Amino acid sequence: MEQRILLTECPDSKGLIAQITNICYKHQLNIIRNTEFVDPVTGQFFMRTELDGIFNEHTLLQDLDRALPLGSSRSLLCRQAKKVVVLVTKEAHCLGDILMKVYDGSLSLNIAAVVGNHPELAALAQRFDLPYHFISHQGLSRAEHEAALLQVITPYQPDYLILAKFMRILTPRFVAHYPNRIVNIHHSFLPAFIGAKPYQQAFERGVKIIGATAHFVNEQLDEGPIIQQKVAAVDHSYSALDMEKAGRDVEKAALSEALQFITEDRVFVHGNKTVIL
Amino acid sequence: MEQRILLTECPDSKGLIAQITNICYKHQLNIIRNTEFVDPVTGQFFMRTELDGIFNEHTLLQDLDRALPLGSSRSLLCRQAKKVVVLVTKEAHCLGDILMKVYDGSLSLNIAAVVGNHPELAALAQRFDLPYHFISHQGLSRAEHEAALLQVITPYQPDYLILAKFMRILTPRFVAHYPNRIVNIHHSFLPAFIGAKPYQQAFERGVKIIGATAHFVNEQLDEGPIIQQKVAAVDHSYSALDMEKAGRDVEKAALSEALQFITEDRVFVHGNKTVIL
Amino acid sequence: MEQRILLTECPDSKGLIAQITNICYKHQLNIIRNTEFVDPVTGQFFMRTELDGIFNEHTLLQDLDRALPLGSSRSLLCRQAKKVVVLVTKEAHCLGDILMKVYDGSLSLNIAAVVGNHPELAALAQRFDLPYHFISHQGLSRAEHEAALLQVITPYQPDYLILAKFMRILTPRFVAHYPNRIVNIHHSFLPAFIGAKPYQQAFERGVKIIGATAHFVNEQLDEGPIIQQKVAAVDHSYSALDMEKAGRDVEKAALSEALQFITEDRVFVHGNKTVIL
Amino acid sequence: MEQRILLTECPDSKGLIAQITNICYKHQLNIIRNTEFVDPVTGQFFMRTELDGIFNEHTLLQDLDRALPLGSSRSLLCRQAKKVVVLVTKEAHCLGDILMKVYDGSLSLNIAAVVGNHPELAALAQRFDLPYHFISHQGLSRAEHEAALLQVITPYQPDYLILAKFMRILTPRFVAHYPNRIVNIHHSFLPAFIGAKPYQQAFERGVKIIGATAHFVNEQLDEGPIIQQKVAAVDHSYSALDMEKAGRDVEKAALSEALQFITEDRVFVHGNKTVIL
């Protein structure tokens, strides 16, 4: 007996749930949990099915392909930890939070390596017995730096890259290597305060709530599909630095909840949005 | 074309979702939204299906009854406002919140009448053109008072009674007339501070968070199935009265969210718990 | 014996708290609650002092004026309900929330009148025995409409105007009549989604949290000092309309908390920010 | 120039703020932030004053002692990290959170050592170069085990003990060594679910919110002064184990916020409550 997750996405039509669950039933699979969603604007159907049983993967997928309409995609995922590479700059809190959550079993990730454009966080990675690759951007063009990053990252064959306060903007060329597979934590409640120094911007605007946004990276800065957002109350007594400090917990929470969704195969990307089932 | 909600509850077995959704498909009904849950402890299966189409109610239910295991229950509900009677004592905020939400269309309820054991809220009910029945408990035994309440309530044939800060304890005899159909708002985060004067109790304990609990009333005081709970932060500067004032918004939120669930036919009662799909 | 609130604002200097509290002590006034703040960027000092005793207002203010540095302002406020005029368009929820909170004693405001550019909410105002002035903007230039509004509003001599979902942009000319005395509820988490249709914008961006912002109105659209912000979680299943509905509670909460601060004389305006003591 | 914090506690009387701030002024100290509270039930006055300047500690305290009424206590604290010993059992998340926050500078604590009644967390302590003392309770009476703990802890002369999921009940005899200086994290929203297995209790009661409580330990189990409480929403789909997992973040948040208050010298204990200025 094994547990797997079936993800289905296709144009909506009547009877889809019945068809898919019937096929599962014919395969003698038990549905532990089933969630689905139809986007009322685009008419796209999404379904996530937690299954339990003995899987004849080939036949099952064949049966599904026969039943599903054209333009469908489906995948049958094993419950195994995703392999990730974490990219960082100098700030320890997001990396540290991920490391501790993996360590204490709260987050099921296989961290292959940490890559930084500064040396500061090497010691932290090493405390958790992880390789740390220091790839300075000093003296390199953006293209050269990204080539150097890819050279280090590619051999690990990661499922996802996690930008845990990696303070460099990635080019579309780099992003294209990992489409919808790069998770960034932006330190504002997007779309407020796009770009640099969001806490300084928030301070100057006099907001009463600060936020953080975990999102997939696409070609446009801070415009990728949002996975999770979290907020915290602030007041007039917070300096920009106080907001930054208060923001750390918010950033950690948004990023680790987004990663949790990903580890559970709950995230579909649909245009510039996410559907989380 | 019409929209209806199918609620199914039965002992879990393999293929239930497939069977039920197949029957819906054969009836050419479109599933707008489907949610289900299996209680891992009791093995009970719950499913709520929003359907769209032309309903042959008799045949549909017959087909379901044939397919479902023994001990199943299913109902096919029309989307129409539940009829309720609201019971109150002196405090206006919960009644007022319900009245305003019904007035502005946020809450879909058909309020048949307001019944109070004090006269204070008659004016408020009348502002919204509702009958107000003042049934004083003065000089009556508990049994007599409840008989008087029932005499007034029964003719309205309400789907639910809402205790919107009704400060009387109802006997099992009364409750038996409306099993799992009486919604109470208790002014504490149950099971903390059961019984009288919960804000005073909370103040004396020095809590940093206060709460409110909306629950179905059963035979045991403050022990019925919880529908929703809400909380708010407090601190040392709050007197018991300040907590009570801060608690008003929490009470309103917990009660109106619980009522929202009920109006959407999302609440199953399972033992002393609720399953909200 | 009486309770009053002393608000002081001046450039910071050493010993200010000692000087002010000394003067209060010499006047045999008891300090119930004292809060102060120094803006570290501008060096401005703000203090709010709840006092209890017998007030010789003239001498007390004279003593303060002697002690405080040039450029100071101070005021000694009685605890009495502010007089307000509420401006609305068609949506009932914010007006209704204010009316109910005033009715049940949660909010201490003296509502002089409701003014609407549509007739829809007249019935609601009348349920609470308030005058409703329907001032249509149809066929009027902006200047003419604002003149008509002022003609109705001015005789009430309101302390504040409350824009409770008043869907018209006010000109600087109008705003100048009530500097930092017009409170607006904007249906987004400012500065995200400035301008029209913020819920539609939020929906299109695929945010996971929606918000509302209560702020003072100044010459620039949606740029005035923020008083309070509140948020609520949403997900992919929310249409723009669902977000708007979910936003109602957020709007009510942000607006009524802002009004609560104002009724307690806790809000200082400092540049484009508020200091809330 | 130096920054210090003056904490004052005494029976309330008119003019206290004036007297204390005057003395600070005469010592040419600048008040950065001042907060105070009078308990309306007990009439006790509490004040916390952040001061900046050159301190003549002896004279300052002498001046204060002359001015303050009988039964006063005051202390002038340097801003230096408190020394703590952390007690643990097997669960890593609270210890790990504290270690990471100290590591990344979010929490200013001087962790002298970690003491565990199980060996599991030795490796984690060692990753952060901290001594780990494994003091098994196996085969020891409670008195013997506590004596062994004290023997290890005492030489460190800690300001506080932190019970970071230390799953042993301490006797009043032990607690008396560190009155109001032992911080515990209890995995429920006290006073709900006192005692063992609170998540199991919460699951069985069908609550919709779970919580955690950071409190000082006194002689009575789970009855000490509450410092901070945090909550998280759960639903019917959470098993007791799911609640426990979801509770980890709540526990970490409640404990680390409580520790933050303590590191900033903001916590007064008053009877069985805390006043946090």
Side-chain angles (χ1 to χ4, degrees):
Chain A
M1 297 289 275
E2 196 190 354
Q3 291 203 359
R4 291 217 189 171
I5 292 167
L6 175 66
L7 300 182
T8 315
E9 181 181 343
C10 61
D12 190 29
S13 69
K14 213 176 273 188
L16 277 172
I17 302 177
Q19 282 168 307
I20 298 168
T21 55
N22 258 328
I23 291 170
C24 295
Y25 179 55
K26 280 175 193 156
H27 278 255
Q28 295 189 281
L29 298 167
N30 191 31
I31 294 175
I32 301 167
R33 191 164 176 267
N34 189 65
T35 40
E36 84 290 316
F37 173 65
V38 178
D39 187 305
V41 176
T42 64
Q44 187 78 346
F45 171 89
F46 303 87
M47 186 158 127
R48 176 185 182 276
T49 315
E50 290 183 24
L51 293 164
D52 185 67
I54 296 160
F55 290 82
N56 187 331
E57 181 167 348
H58 183 73
T59 332
L60 179 61
L61 293 180
Q62 224 170 33
D63 290 352
L64 284 165
D65 287 341
R66 251 181 238 130
L68 293 172
L70 268 177
S72 299
S73 74
R74 81 292 171 282
S75 46
L76 186 67
L77 303 164
C78 298
R79 282 194 174 279
Q80 69 182 35
K82 314 287 181 210
K83 193 196 277 186
V84 299
V85 169
V86 185
L87 281 79
V88 297
T89 294
K90 288 178 179 178
E91 288 172 86
H93 61 281
C94 282
L95 173 61
D97 190 55
I98 294 168
L99 293 177
M100 276 308 312
K101 281 188 168 143
V102 170
Y103 182 87
D104 74 21
S106 302
L107 196 59
S108 171
L109 284 178
N110 170 6
I111 305 176
V114 181
V115 177
N117 65 324
H118 281 266
E120 277 82 350
L121 298 179
L124 179 56
Q126 281 150 20
R127 277 176 199 271
F128 287 85
D129 307 321
L130 290 172
Y132 186 88
H133 302 275
F134 167 36
I135 314 285
S136 175
H137 59 279
Q138 298 283 359
L140 299 184
S141 73
R142 192 168 292 272
E144 288 167 343
H145 187 234
E146 290 190 348
L149 290 174
L150 281 174
Q151 207 175 353
V152 159
I153 294 167
T154 311
Y156 289 113
Q157 299 187 276
D159 298 309
Y160 290 90
L161 304 189
I162 304 173
L163 310 187
K165 304 288 286 179
F166 180 64
M167 307 309 277
R168 302 276 301 169
I169 294 164
L170 296 170
T171 65
R173 197 191 178 95
F174 182 97
V175 172
H177 286 84
Y178 298 96
N180 292 328
R181 289 163 56 202
I182 307 178
V183 180
N184 184 44
I185 179 68
H186 182 79
H187 40 318
S188 88
F189 184 76
L190 287 177
F193 311 127
I194 284 176
K197 300 204 174 187
Y199 290 119
Q200 183 62 32
Q201 290 183 58
F203 170 73
E204 283 167 10
R205 182 60 187 90
V207 297
K208 301 299 184 186
I209 291 180
I210 55 168
T213 304
H215 63 97
F216 287 117
V217 177
N218 65 11
E219 317 76 46
Q220 283 163 285
L221 179 62
D222 299 339
E223 294 286 341
I226 294 172
I227 309 168
Q228 182 61 308
Q229 300 188 294
K230 302 296 274 188
V231 293
V234 294
D235 63 36
H236 60 268
S237 73
Y238 283 67
S239 66
L241 183 61
D242 292 335
M243 287 187 182
E244 189 181 318
K245 281 182 185 168
R248 285 181 194 164
D249 281 341
V250 185
E251 294 168 12
K252 290 189 292 188
L255 180 56
S256 79
E257 290 185 23
L259 295 175
Q260 185 67 35
F261 294 152
I262 287 169
T263 64
E264 295 174 354
D265 296 305
R266 295 178 55 194
V267 185
F268 293 79
V269 173
H270 184 44
N272 72 329
K273 299 184 185 182
T274 59
V275 171
I276 297 177
L277 294 182
Chain B
M1 299 288 275
E2 197 192 353
Q3 291 203 0
R4 292 217 189 169
I5 292 168
L6 175 66
L7 301 183
T8 315
E9 181 179 343
C10 61
D12 191 30
S13 69
K14 216 178 271 188
L16 275 172
I17 301 176
Q19 282 167 306
I20 299 167
T21 56
N22 257 328
I23 290 169
C24 295
Y25 180 55
K26 280 174 193 156
H27 279 256
Q28 295 189 280
L29 298 168
N30 191 31
I31 294 175
I32 302 167
R33 192 162 176 268
N34 190 63
T35 39
E36 85 290 317
F37 173 66
V38 178
D39 187 304
V41 176
T42 63
Q44 188 78 345
F45 171 89
F46 303 87
M47 186 157 127
R48 176 186 182 276
T49 315
E50 290 183 23
L51 293 163
D52 185 67
I54 296 161
F55 290 81
N56 186 332
E57 182 167 346
H58 183 74
T59 333
L60 179 60
L61 293 180
Q62 223 170 35
D63 290 353
L64 285 165
D65 287 342
R66 252 181 238 129
L68 293 172
L70 267 177
S72 300
S73 74
R74 80 293 172 281
S75 46
L76 186 66
L77 304 164
C78 298
R79 282 192 174 281
Q80 68 182 37
K82 314 288 182 213
K83 193 196 278 185
V84 299
V85 168
V86 185
L87 280 78
V88 298
T89 294
K90 289 180 179 176
E91 288 173 85
H93 59 281
C94 282
L95 173 61
D97 190 55
I98 294 168
L99 293 177
M100 277 307 313
K101 281 187 168 144
V102 169
Y103 183 87
D104 74 21
S106 302
L107 196 59
S108 172
L109 284 178
N110 171 6
I111 305 177
V114 180
V115 176
N117 64 324
H118 280 266
E120 278 82 351
L121 298 180
L124 180 56
Q126 282 149 19
R127 276 176 199 271
F128 288 85
D129 307 321
L130 290 172
Y132 185 88
H133 302 275
F134 167 37
I135 313 285
S136 175
H137 59 279
Q138 298 282 0
L140 299 183
S141 72
R142 194 169 290 272
E144 288 166 343
H145 186 234
E146 291 190 347
L149 290 173
L150 282 174
Q151 205 175 355
V152 159
I153 294 167
T154 310
Y156 289 112
Q157 298 187 276
D159 299 309
Y160 289 90
L161 303 189
I162 305 173
L163 310 187
K165 305 288 286 179
F166 181 64
M167 306 311 275
R168 302 277 300 171
I169 294 164
L170 296 169
T171 65
R173 197 189 178 94
F174 182 99
V175 172
H177 286 85
Y178 298 96
N180 291 329
R181 288 163 57 203
I182 306 177
V183 181
N184 183 45
I185 180 69
H186 183 79
H187 40 317
S188 89
F189 183 76
L190 286 177
F193 310 127
I194 284 176
K197 300 202 174 187
Y199 291 119
Q200 183 63 32
Q201 291 183 55
F203 170 74
E204 282 167 12
R205 182 61 188 90
V207 298
K208 301 300 185 186
I209 291 180
I210 55 168
T213 304
H215 64 96
F216 288 117
V217 177
N218 64 12
E219 318 74 46
Q220 283 163 285
L221 179 63
D222 300 339
E223 293 286 342
I226 293 172
I227 310 169
Q228 182 60 309
Q229 299 187 293
K230 303 296 276 187
V231 294
V234 293
D235 64 37
H236 60 268
S237 74
Y238 283 67
S239 67
L241 184 60
D242 293 333
M243 288 187 182
E244 189 182 317
K245 282 182 184 168
R248 285 182 194 164
D249 281 342
V250 185
E251 294 168 14
K252 290 189 291 188
L255 180 56
S256 78
E257 290 185 23
L259 295 176
Q260 185 67 35
F261 294 152
I262 286 168
T263 64
E264 296 174 353
D265 296 306
R266 295 177 55 194
V267 185
F268 293 79
V269 173
H270 186 44
N272 73 329
K273 299 184 185 182
T274 60
V275 171
I276 297 177
L277 295 183
Chain C
M1 297 289 274
E2 198 192 351
Q3 290 203 359
R4 293 217 187 169
I5 292 168
L6 175 67
L7 301 182
T8 315
E9 180 180 343
C10 60
D12 190 30
S13 70
K14 215 177 272 186
L16 276 172
I17 302 175
Q19 281 168 308
I20 298 167
T21 55
N22 257 327
I23 290 169
C24 295
Y25 180 54
K26 280 175 192 156
H27 279 256
Q28 295 187 280
L29 298 168
N30 190 31
I31 294 175
I32 301 167
R33 192 165 175 265
N34 190 64
T35 39
E36 84 289 317
F37 173 65
V38 177
D39 187 305
V41 176
T42 62
Q44 188 77 346
F45 170 89
F46 303 87
M47 186 157 128
R48 177 186 182 277
T49 314
E50 289 183 24
L51 292 164
D52 185 66
I54 296 160
F55 291 82
N56 186 332
E57 183 168 346
H58 183 73
T59 332
L60 179 62
L61 294 179
Q62 222 170 35
D63 290 353
L64 284 164
D65 288 342
R66 251 181 237 130
L68 293 172
L70 267 177
S72 300
S73 73
R74 79 294 172 279
S75 46
L76 186 68
L77 304 163
C78 298
R79 283 193 174 280
Q80 69 182 36
K82 314 288 183 210
K83 194 196 276 184
V84 299
V85 168
V86 185
L87 281 76
V88 299
T89 294
K90 288 178 180 178
E91 288 172 86
H93 60 283
C94 282
L95 174 61
D97 190 55
I98 294 169
L99 293 177
M100 276 307 312
K101 281 187 169 144
V102 170
Y103 183 87
D104 75 20
S106 301
L107 196 58
S108 171
L109 283 178
N110 170 7
I111 305 177
V114 180
V115 176
N117 64 323
H118 281 265
E120 278 81 351
L121 299 179
L124 180 55
Q126 281 149 19
R127 277 177 199 271
F128 287 87
D129 308 321
L130 290 172
Y132 185 87
H133 302 276
F134 167 36
I135 313 285
S136 175
H137 59 280
Q138 298 283 359
L140 298 184
S141 72
R142 193 169 291 273
E144 287 167 343
H145 187 235
E146 291 191 348
L149 291 174
L150 282 174
Q151 207 175 353
V152 159
I153 294 167
T154 310
Y156 289 114
Q157 298 188 277
D159 298 309
Y160 289 90
L161 304 189
I162 304 173
L163 309 187
K165 305 287 286 178
F166 180 65
M167 306 310 275
R168 303 276 301 170
I169 294 165
L170 296 169
T171 65
R173 196 189 180 95
F174 182 97
V175 172
H177 287 84
Y178 298 96
N180 292 329
R181 289 162 56 201
I182 307 177
V183 180
N184 183 45
I185 180 69
H186 183 80
H187 40 316
S188 89
F189 184 75
L190 287 177
F193 312 127
I194 282 175
K197 300 203 174 186
Y199 291 118
Q200 183 62 32
Q201 292 183 57
F203 170 74
E204 282 166 13
R205 182 60 188 92
V207 297
K208 301 299 186 187
I209 290 179
I210 55 167
T213 304
H215 64 96
F216 287 117
V217 177
N218 64 12
E219 318 76 45
Q220 283 163 285
L221 180 62
D222 298 340
E223 293 286 343
I226 294 171
I227 309 169
Q228 181 61 308
Q229 300 188 295
K230 302 296 275 188
V231 293
V234 294
D235 63 38
H236 60 268
S237 73
Y238 283 67
S239 66
L241 184 61
D242 293 334
M243 287 187 183
E244 190 181 316
K245 281 181 185 168
R248 285 181 195 164
D249 280 342
V250 186
E251 294 168 14
K252 291 189 291 189
L255 180 56
S256 79
E257 290 186 24
L259 294 176
Q260 185 67 35
F261 294 153
I262 287 169
T263 64
E264 296 174 353
D265 296 305
R266 295 179 54 193
V267 185
F268 292 79
V269 173
H270 185 43
N272 73 329
K273 299 183 184 181
T274 59
V275 171
I276 298 177
L277 295 183
Chain D
M1 298 289 275
E2 197 191 352
Q3 290 203 359
R4 293 217 188 168
I5 291 168
L6 175 65
L7 300 182
T8 315
E9 181 180 342
C10 60
D12 190 30
S13 69
K14 213 176 273 186
L16 276 172
I17 302 175
Q19 281 168 308
I20 298 167
T21 55
N22 256 328
I23 290 169
C24 295
Y25 180 55
K26 280 175 194 155
H27 278 257
Q28 295 188 281
L29 299 167
N30 190 31
I31 293 174
I32 301 167
R33 192 165 175 267
N34 190 64
T35 39
E36 84 289 318
F37 173 65
V38 178
D39 188 303
V41 177
T42 62
Q44 188 78 345
F45 170 90
F46 303 87
M47 187 158 127
R48 178 187 182 274
T49 315
E50 290 183 24
L51 293 164
D52 184 69
I54 296 160
F55 290 81
N56 187 331
E57 182 168 345
H58 183 73
T59 332
L60 179 62
L61 293 179
Q62 223 170 34
D63 290 353
L64 284 165
D65 288 342
R66 252 181 237 129
L68 293 172
L70 267 178
S72 300
S73 73
R74 81 292 172 280
S75 45
L76 186 66
L77 304 163
C78 298
R79 282 193 173 281
Q80 69 182 33
K82 313 287 181 212
K83 194 195 276 185
V84 299
V85 168
V86 185
L87 282 79
V88 298
T89 294
K90 289 178 178 177
E91 288 173 85
H93 59 282
C94 282
L95 173 61
D97 190 55
I98 294 168
L99 293 176
M100 276 307 311
K101 280 187 169 143
V102 170
Y103 183 86
D104 75 21
S106 302
L107 195 59
S108 171
L109 283 178
N110 170 7
I111 304 176
V114 181
V115 176
N117 64 324
H118 281 265
E120 277 82 351
L121 298 179
L124 179 56
Q126 280 149 22
R127 277 177 198 270
F128 288 85
D129 308 321
L130 289 173
Y132 186 88
H133 302 275
F134 167 36
I135 313 286
S136 176
H137 59 280
Q138 299 282 359
L140 298 184
S141 72
R142 194 168 291 272
E144 287 166 344
H145 186 235
E146 291 191 348
L149 290 173
L150 282 174
Q151 206 175 355
V152 159
I153 293 167
T154 310
Y156 289 113
Q157 298 188 276
D159 298 309
Y160 289 90
L161 304 189
I162 304 173
L163 310 187
K165 304 287 285 179
F166 180 65
M167 307 309 277
R168 303 277 300 170
I169 294 165
L170 296 169
T171 64
R173 197 189 178 95
F174 182 97
V175 172
H177 286 85
Y178 299 95
N180 291 329
R181 288 163 56 201
I182 306 178
V183 180
N184 184 46
I185 179 70
H186 183 80
H187 40 318
S188 89
F189 183 76
L190 286 176
F193 310 128
I194 284 176
K197 302 205 173 187
Y199 291 118
Q200 183 63 33
Q201 291 183 56
F203 170 74
E204 283 167 11
R205 182 61 188 90
V207 297
K208 301 298 184 186
I209 291 179
I210 55 168
T213 304
H215 64 97
F216 287 117
V217 177
N218 64 12
E219 316 77 44
Q220 284 163 284
L221 180 62
D222 300 338
E223 293 285 343
I226 294 172
I227 309 169
Q228 181 60 309
Q229 299 188 295
K230 302 295 277 187
V231 294
V234 294
D235 63 37
H236 60 269
S237 73
Y238 283 68
S239 67
L241 184 61
D242 293 333
M243 287 187 183
E244 189 181 317
K245 282 182 185 167
R248 285 182 193 162
D249 280 342
V250 185
E251 294 168 14
K252 290 189 291 187
L255 180 56
S256 80
E257 290 185 24
L259 295 176
Q260 185 67 34
F261 294 151
I262 287 169
T263 64
E264 295 174 354
D265 296 306
R266 294 178 56 194
V267 185
F268 293 79
V269 173
H270 184 44
N272 73 329
K273 300 185 183 180
T274 59
V275 171
I276 298 177
L277 294 183

